[in-house]
Amino acid sequence: MFDVLVCGSLNVDLLARVGRLPLPGETVLGKALQRLPGGKGLNQAIAAARMGARAAMVGAIGADADGAWLASWLAREGVDGTRLSTRESMTTGLAYVCVADDGENAIVVHGAANTTLTPDDARAAVTTLPPKIALAQLETPIATVAAFFEAARRNGARTILNAAPALTDGRDLLALADVVVLNETELAHYARASSDALIEASLKTYADCAHMLGASTVIVTLGARGALVVNDREFVHHAAPAVEVVDTTGAGDCFCGTLAATLARGATLQAATVDAIRAASLAVTRQGAAPAMPYRHELRE
Ligand code: ATP
Ligand code: RIB
């Protein structure tokens, strides 16, 4: 049995460093360009593996050099990639990532092969690689994630949905997740609140919005403020350590992969959240998404 099975995207990240993010209609000059492995699914699978989980991934890549390169990254990280499908007529997913000097980012994702992952692919992965924890995000089709969670639940797995990016029909999936993880912007989207109202809001305001999602447990990640665990009885805030931020790309992915790996080891949700915050706070001190994921021994150190 696997600890964590991730259903999700694999992208090549073209990461441009800029002084500040461009405004609408503006052109800014880049300072450096890197080609790095990414995609929310791949990032979360690698984060879980580096935390010591037996991790596997179901996803789709193109029949091109990018796809082979991403698959080789998973293999090198010890993530089972036997349920990766190669699409002959598609290119591999690509993300244009702009990272500013203050570590903030803006991303455009070209889903390509990721958009072809089918419900049957997801169900077959659950059957052949049964996990304790099934983890998904929203860069693959909604129907595929729904099938993944339904199959995982039938198999007795716990389901975690990282409801990112914020999608109109993503709300339908919330009821299929035992734990929903999202950031402030995504919370505003799914709770149908104004995002301005949730910037630097009180913890009670976040908890009230989280209750509106109707999910049994919601974790709201709050960047430098850590994260809030909300269920129907209480909300518990865990602070993040103060760090020097280099690049926040993949911070949420690091959080989710670590959370899944730690829950699979039998930790409580609160303890797993504390580990996830510490791991993600380390990840933001490094460049890139997947390459920035910390190892378990680094948390102890
Ligand atoms: P991204 O979309 O950039 O990948 P996100 O918006 O999904 O990230 P955040 O809420 O920004 O997720 O951050 C997730 C976690 O990363 C936080 O809970 C925290 O542990 C860590 N983190 C992010 N930003 C900072 C920061 N400035 N200082 C310390 N920790 C941070
Ligand atoms: O969450 C970060 C990821 O989002 C990047 O690696 C990029 O590929 C997009 O999927």
Side-chain angles (χ1 to χ4, degrees), residues 137-146 161 163-176 189-190 192:
Q137 329 71 33
L138 300 180
E139 287 184 342
T140 54
I142 301 279
T144 301
V145 178
L161 174 67
L167 297 184
T168 312
D169 42 3
R171 215 167 194 275
D172 302 343
L173 285 173
L174 302 178
L176 288 176
H189 169 87
Y190 292 110
R192 301 198 175 102

Side-chain angles (χ1 to χ4, degrees), residues 9-14 36-44 94-97 105 107-109 139 162 164-165 248-253 288-290:
S9 58
L10 305 92
N11 297 329
V12 169
D13 286 358
L14 289 182
L36 297 169
K40 293 187 191 303
L42 176 143
N43 295 340
Q44 295 184 14
L94 190 70
Y96 302 94
V97 184
N105 66 46
I107 304 178
V108 176
V109 175
E139 287 184 342
N162 176 211
T248 64
T249 314
D253 297 334

Side-chain angles (χ1 to χ4, degrees), residues 2 5 54-58 74-75 78-84 129:
F2 283 83
L5 174 61
R54 281 159 297 165
M57 178 168 184
V58 51
L74 285 183
V79 176
D80 185 303
T82 51
R83 299 310 307 187
L84 287 185
L129 310 170

Side-chain angles (χ1 to χ4, degrees), residues 31-42:
K31 300 176 173 186
L33 184 69
Q34 276 182 294
R35 179 176 172 273
L36 297 169
K40 293 187 191 303
L42 176 143

Side-chain angles (χ1 to χ4, degrees), residues 166-290:
L167 297 184
T168 312
D169 42 3
R171 215 167 194 275
D172 302 343
L173 285 173
L174 302 178
L176 288 176
D178 297 315
V179 181
V180 174
V181 182
L182 30 63
N183 68 17
E184 293 145 289
T185 318
E186 290 141 9
L187 176 64
H189 169 87
Y190 292 110
R192 301 198 175 102
S194 122
S195 16
D196 288 349
L198 288 191
I199 294 172
E200 300 288 313
S202 71
L203 298 178
K204 169 85 169 57
T205 305
Y206 289 121
D208 288 345
C209 273
H211 278 136
M212 289 163 66
L213 304 185
S216 55
T217 302
V218 177
I219 302 180
V220 186
T221 62
L222 302 168
R225 294 168 76 192
L228 190 68
V229 182
V230 186
N231 62 30
D232 50 5
R233 294 179 309 281
E234 57 177 7
F235 63 89
V236 181
H237 176 241
H238 299 282
V243 295
E244 203 141 305
V245 175
V246 171
D247 177 4
T248 64
T249 314
D253 297 334
C254 182
F255 185 99
C256 293
T258 305
L259 183 83
T262 314
L263 287 175
R265 269 205 305 280
T268 64
L269 188 65
Q270 303 298 342
T273 302
V274 169
D275 270 12
I277 290 172
R278 292 173 65 205
S281 301
L282 257 178
V284 301
T285 65
R286 303 164 182 175
Q287 179 108 320

